[in-house]
Amino acid sequence: MTADVENQKVSLDLEPHADLSPLATAVNKLTDDDGPRNEGLITYCKKLVERGASLQEDKGQGSVNEVLQKNPALRSELQLEHHTNPPQRPASSCFLDLIYDDTSSELVLKTFLKGITSDEAVASSNSLYGKHSVLYMAVDTCNELRVQTLLSYKASPWREEPTGELPLHRAAERGHKNIFHVLLCAMKGEASKVDLQNYTMSLMETLMENWKRNTDHADCYKRLFEADIELNLNEEHIGRTAVHVAASFNKQEAVSNLLQHGAFLGARPWLTKDTQCPSVLPSLKASTLEKAMAGCIKHLPHSNTQQESEDLNNDNHTLLFDYRFLLPPDAANQDVNEVATLMDISRSKHHRRVIKHPLVQTLLYAKWRKALPFYMLNLFFYSLFVTLLTVFVYSLRDLRLLETDTEKTDQSEAINNLYNRIVVIKIFLLALTFYMLGREILQIVFLGIQYLKNIENYLEFLLIISVFILCIPNLNIEFIRHLAAWAMVVAWYEFVLILGRAPPLALYITMLRHVSWNFLKFILLFGALIVAFTISFNMLLQQPQSSEAIVMSTGEFEYSSLKEHFSNNSLALASTVLMFLIFLFLIFLVLMNVMNALAITDTQEVVDDAELYSLMSRLELVYLIEAVLLWCLSKCYTSVLKSHLGSLQLLSGKISEDRSKFVEENPSPSKLDDTTAQCLRNHRMVYLEGLEAEEREDRMNAMLRVENLLRSVVKESPEDVKRILAAVKSGQ
């Protein structure tokens, strides 16, 4: 049934498409009772008869006339005196009859559509087959010829079904790549692109859910990312984006492709409990991230032609880096922390080595140069703090010594001068200590639980507390000596670590940390042997200084002094000497050489860890600086803070709102240093070799599919193959 809304005219199709007409269907529902349901059906039947419905239908369960003969009263009620002729059936109804008849060929459909007017052909192509359009049903049955026929007569590929789906969704579910492509071409029409931004999420869900059924789903997926398609990869549905959908189905290749095209890696679902890292990260392999990052590095040709080959040895070789996957969708409209997503990656034990990827290294190299003034300022303040603290503890010690000596000599003037100097130093020292305390509080706020996982942060708090205690007057001189000694060790150790943030010194700081930690574990493991020998020497030599076994383990034996305590009994002497020789062998020869070998064999691992530690250290510093500036801007907006943030950020403001491309504000490329350039060149060479290998494998697989198809054709229809070959040989 079709309706003309403007003229308020309704055109009815009273003939059957299937087994029964509308009148026959209603009549078969009638019963013998006089209930309201029967009254409504009778009224409906009267209206159908008034409009010309035939009482002589002979399809299905018998004609309407035969049904009415069983109930004469009903027949007399429906048999009207003024019976109109049935209206002429619309062309779309006749077309549906052909669609319903499975034996109708595409040639019959085309012939019918050519024989009616263009308006009727369009209406027929857009008619409904039940609750779905005929185009949707043709896609559902994977009838490519019928789909092309309907589209050629202007069947609308944009018509939504009652479920909100497009025919494209059904093609994606069926995995029919040819129909999928035909529909996209029809949806594009005369435009340059197909706007699927509102359907991105539903299409991704459909493809991911049905990917295992047919390998052609991968081809449909790749078709969506061609240049003539507009997608919104960060569209949210129930708090999830396309990346979460692909990761939930463990489609690593799809996730990598989404990230390369601008999907935000750091998107978090609404129901995520762990706020410290995006929920999608645990579902990804580190290799997936590396592949995505490799795909975000593209060759930028110097000429307008895109076919220019890459010359990796050319000093002017230019690459374009795409960092869209690191920034949230609203990065174009508001200030965001550009390295927040990288911090999430660095906090993941299984993914943190991805930080060493050249794409990330290059970004951190550039960000570090921007953050260098902030680093130098912090280094200056801490250097001043360590210097003042050193002078302060020595002055405090001298003051206590002078106060102790006042009973012997009168040194009141020297005490007063020293006391005034200490007061001045204390004022500046406390100011710097409060600066350090504020710095630690900001780290706790912005790093959260990660702050508590670093033992160096506990040392910094210990140092701050020690300084506050040292500033308390009238402390015991012995207590000051010990507290100051520990404070000095911690203060200068932290100074070394701050210096280690600089890239040239990162290797040596990492060696210090790595070797110290390994030796500590080693000593804890074999410390029981040293304790055992300490107890043994105490039992054999009968002297309280037998704890010297710990000192002896470093090579200081003092054998002559030990010999004085040896027993004169030959058996006891042999036992003591044997114990000493075993100690010499196990502790001095074996244990010490194992520790030396451990330090040597860990050299390469130390170098690798040094690079990672340096990058992570710089990343944390840049993250904290940006986080503090953003927090200050949110509390008090000033042009000074805004300019500092702008000088630090590189990506914000360079992404268009649709995230399809970067805005080229500065077309001139940046020159990399030699080390970074060589690292990037080596990585690019490996990546291009991998692409060539994949292309060769794809060509080989295509050839194998063709070969298998030919084998199946030869096996199933050998006679037809012979006739074709004979016709080719004869030149027909």
Side-chain angles (χ1 to χ4, degrees):
M1 182 172 66
T2 59
D4 187 345
V5 179
E6 294 182 359
N7 299 324
Q8 296 297 320
K9 294 180 180 179
V10 178
S11 177
L12 295 176
D13 181 16
L14 303 178
E15 299 301 320
H17 288 300
D19 295 332
L20 297 175
S21 66
L23 177 60
T25 303
V27 168
N28 278 280
K29 298 291 183 180
L30 292 172
T31 59
D32 295 334
D33 58 8
D34 297 328
R37 181 173 181 274
N38 257 19
E39 293 179 1
L41 284 173
I42 292 174
T43 303
Y44 175 69
C45 291
K46 286 182 178 180
K47 291 182 178 180
L48 290 176
V49 173
E50 289 176 359
R51 296 298 300 270
S54 173
L55 299 178
Q56 305 299 323
E57 181 186 344
D58 57 359
K59 285 189 176 183
Q61 303 174 8
S63 66
V64 179
N65 189 36
E66 293 176 354
V67 175
L68 296 179
Q69 285 179 355
K70 301 176 182 177
N71 192 338
L74 180 61
R75 179 179 178 82
S76 60
E77 189 171 356
L78 294 180
Q79 189 68 47
L80 303 177
E81 295 180 0
H82 303 287
H83 182 272
T84 61
N85 293 325
Q88 184 178 0
R89 298 188 69 198
S92 58
S93 299
C94 300
F95 184 72
L96 288 178
D97 286 342
L98 296 176
I99 293 290
Y100 182 78
D101 188 359
D102 291 334
T103 61
S104 300
S105 64
E106 300 308 314
L107 180 61
V108 173
L109 294 179
K110 287 183 179 180
T111 302
F112 176 83
L113 291 173
K114 288 181 180 179
I116 58 180
T117 64
S118 59
D119 292 340
E120 290 177 332
V122 172
S124 299
S125 300
N126 289 281
S127 56
L128 293 177
Y129 186 87
K131 63 179 180 179
H132 294 295
S133 65
V134 291
L135 177 61
Y136 186 89
M137 297 305 297
V139 174
D140 185 53
T141 56
C142 297
N143 193 330
E144 184 178 351
L145 291 176
R146 183 164 296 181
V147 170
Q148 292 176 345
T149 299
L150 294 173
L151 290 175
S152 64
Y153 284 93
K154 299 183 180 181
S156 175
W158 288 101
R159 182 170 185 170
E160 290 190 1
E161 302 300 313
T163 57
E165 291 182 322
L166 299 174
L168 190 66
H169 289 84
R170 183 60 65 173
E173 181 180 345
R174 291 287 185 258
H176 201 296
K177 59 182 181 181
N178 293 337
I179 293 180
F180 195 81
H181 176 73
V182 168
L183 288 172
L184 285 174
C185 293
M187 295 168 76
K188 181 168 63 175
E190 300 297 329
S192 59
K193 290 187 177 182
V194 183
D195 187 359
L196 294 177
Q197 297 186 63
N198 295 329
Y199 301 98
T200 302
M201 190 64 177
S202 54
L203 283 171
M204 291 297 168
E205 289 179 338
T206 301
L207 284 170
M208 296 302 129
E209 289 174 358
N210 300 278
W211 197 298
K212 294 181 180 179
R213 298 183 185 176
N214 194 323
T215 55
D216 288 342
H217 286 93
D219 294 327
C220 295
Y221 176 83
K222 293 177 182 178
R223 178 65 181 87
L224 286 176
F225 290 93
E226 294 185 7
D228 60 341
I229 307 295
E230 287 188 4
L231 300 175
N232 181 8
L233 299 180
N234 293 290
E235 175 191 5
E236 289 192 2
H237 177 65
I238 318 180
R240 300 198 308 167
T241 63
V243 171
H244 297 105
V245 173
S248 64
F249 287 95
N250 196 28
K251 299 300 180 184
Q252 301 291 321
E253 184 70 25
V255 174
S256 176
N257 186 267
L258 288 168
L259 295 177
Q260 292 177 40
H261 287 84
F264 179 41
L265 176 63
R268 292 180 172 87
W270 294 340
L271 302 179
T272 299
K273 296 181 180 179
D274 184 7
T275 59
Q276 291 300 318
C277 70
S279 62
V280 72
L281 262 185
S283 303
L284 302 186
K285 299 178 181 177
S287 58
T288 300
L289 277 180
E290 290 178 347
K291 186 174 183 180
M293 290 180 180
C296 291
I297 303 176
K298 299 179 177 64
H299 172 55
L300 186 63
H302 294 89
S303 59
N304 294 328
T305 174
Q306 297 294 324
Q307 301 299 324
E308 179 183 329
S309 59
E310 290 193 52
D311 184 6
L312 297 175
N313 295 319
N314 188 350
D315 292 337
N316 294 322
H317 178 232
T318 306
L319 295 174
L320 179 65
F321 297 156
D322 188 349
Y323 293 105
R324 287 177 296 169
F325 71 99
L326 295 178
L327 300 179
D330 54 358
N333 302 320
Q334 65 179 15
D335 295 320
V336 296
N337 196 323
E338 295 180 346
V339 295
T341 305
L342 290 178
M343 280 298 295
D344 292 332
I345 296 174
S346 68
R347 290 166 179 165
S348 173
K349 185 180 299 184
H350 301 291
H351 301 89
R352 63 180 50 165
R353 291 200 172 272
V354 179
I355 299 296
K356 295 169 59 177
H357 193 278
L359 182 74
V360 180
Q361 280 197 47
T362 306
L363 177 63
L364 291 180
Y365 167 78
K367 299 282 285 186
W368 170 253
R369 294 181 62 183
K370 295 283 187 179
L372 189 58
F374 297 94
Y375 166 76
M376 296 302 296
L377 184 63
N378 178 65
L379 180 61
F380 170 76
F381 282 132
Y382 192 82
S383 302
L384 185 60
F385 167 79
V386 172
T387 303
L388 288 176
L389 180 60
T390 305
V391 174
F392 177 74
V393 295
Y394 273 104
S395 301
L396 201 61
R397 186 201 63 176
D398 294 342
L399 178 63
R400 294 293 181 265
L401 292 175
L402 287 175
E403 290 176 346
T404 305
D405 293 340
T406 53
E407 298 178 356
K408 300 179 181 179
T409 59
D410 186 12
Q411 299 182 1
S412 58
E413 184 177 354
I415 291 175
N416 290 333
N417 293 335
L418 186 57
Y419 181 79
N420 293 332
R421 187 175 67 181
I422 289 175
V423 171
V424 175
I425 296 175
K426 185 186 294 186
I427 293 173
F428 287 101
L429 182 62
L430 285 175
L432 291 172
T433 306
F434 277 110
Y435 158 75
M436 290 184 57
L437 180 61
R439 189 186 65 178
E440 297 305 309
I441 292 175
L442 289 175
Q443 290 185 50
I444 294 174
V445 171
F446 294 110
L447 293 180
I449 193 66
Q450 297 298 321
Y451 179 87
L452 302 177
K453 295 181 179 180
N454 192 344
I455 191 172
E456 296 167 4
N457 295 323
Y458 295 97
L459 295 178
E460 291 176 355
F461 259 107
L462 176 63
L463 177 61
I464 293 171
I465 295 173
S466 300
V467 172
F468 283 131
I469 294 176
L470 288 172
C471 291
I472 299 175
N474 302 323
L475 290 177
N476 181 274
I477 187 172
E478 192 70 20
F479 177 76
I480 289 177
R481 287 171 54 198
H482 286 275
L483 184 60
W486 284 102
M488 284 292 96
V489 172
V490 175
W492 285 99
Y493 177 73
E494 286 297 319
F495 179 73
V496 171
L497 292 180
I498 292 177
L499 280 178
R501 288 184 184 270
L505 303 176
L507 173 62
Y508 309 107
I509 298 300
T510 307
M511 290 177 65
L512 172 65
R513 293 157 54 99
H514 187 87
V515 175
S516 299
W517 176 244
N518 281 350
F519 277 17
L520 179 61
K521 292 187 293 183
F522 190 80
I523 291 174
L524 289 176
L525 178 61
F526 291 97
L529 288 177
I530 298 177
V531 173
F533 281 109
T534 300
I535 298 174
S536 299
F537 288 144
N538 181 266
M539 299 293 294
L540 293 174
L541 304 178
Q542 295 294 318
Q543 58 171 338
Q545 293 83 8
S546 57
S547 58
E548 292 178 359
I550 299 176
V551 179
M552 290 165 56
S553 64
T554 64
E556 296 293 333
F557 295 108
E558 294 294 336
Y559 181 79
S560 59
S561 61
L562 292 175
K563 187 177 180 181
E564 298 176 358
H565 301 279
F566 287 177
S567 173
N568 294 326
N569 185 284
S570 59
L571 185 60
L573 178 61
S575 174
T576 304
V577 172
L578 180 61
M579 181 65 68
F580 180 78
L581 292 176
I582 294 175
F583 171 82
L584 179 66
F585 174 75
L586 286 179
I587 303 300
F588 179 69
L589 295 179
V590 176
L591 188 60
M592 292 299 103
N593 282 283
V594 168
M595 294 180 69
N596 291 333
L598 181 64
I600 295 173
T601 55
D602 284 350
T603 301
Q604 186 58 46
E605 185 179 353
V606 168
V607 172
D608 292 340
D609 285 345
E611 183 182 9
L612 180 60
Y613 169 76
S614 176
L615 291 170
M616 291 181 63
S617 180
R618 280 180 275 171
L619 171 61
E620 182 178 317
L621 179 63
V622 172
Y623 172 78
L624 286 173
I625 294 174
E626 287 197 31
V628 171
L629 289 176
L630 288 170
W631 179 78
C632 294
L633 277 174
S634 65
K635 300 299 180 182
C636 179
Y637 184 91
T638 63
S639 58
V640 176
L641 288 174
K642 182 65 176 178
S643 63
H644 282 308
L645 181 64
S647 64
L648 182 62
Q649 293 191 325
L650 297 171
L651 306 178
S652 298
K654 291 190 177 182
I655 285 189
S656 59
E657 293 185 1
D658 62 0
R659 295 178 64 84
S660 61
K661 59 182 180 299
F662 274 92
V663 178
E664 296 290 342
E665 292 184 352
N666 185 13
S668 60
S670 300
K671 193 75 173 178
L672 297 176
D673 67 295
D674 294 339
T675 303
T676 307
Q678 186 59 40
C679 175
L680 186 58
R681 183 180 290 109
N682 294 337
H683 178 272
R684 190 67 179 171
M685 291 173 61
V686 174
Y687 174 72
L688 294 178
E689 288 177 0
L691 286 182
E692 292 179 0
E694 289 182 2
E695 292 177 358
R696 288 194 299 268
E697 184 177 358
D698 291 341
R699 289 194 295 267
M700 184 63 68
N701 292 334
M703 294 175 63
L704 290 176
R705 286 195 296 268
V706 172
E707 181 182 356
N708 293 333
L709 178 61
L710 292 175
R711 288 179 181 275
S712 62
V713 170
V714 171
K715 183 177 180 180
E716 295 176 1
S717 307
E719 298 298 329
D720 295 339
V721 173
K722 291 179 180 179
R723 285 196 296 270
I724 293 173
L725 292 176
V728 171
K729 289 180 180 180
S730 61
Q732 297 179 359

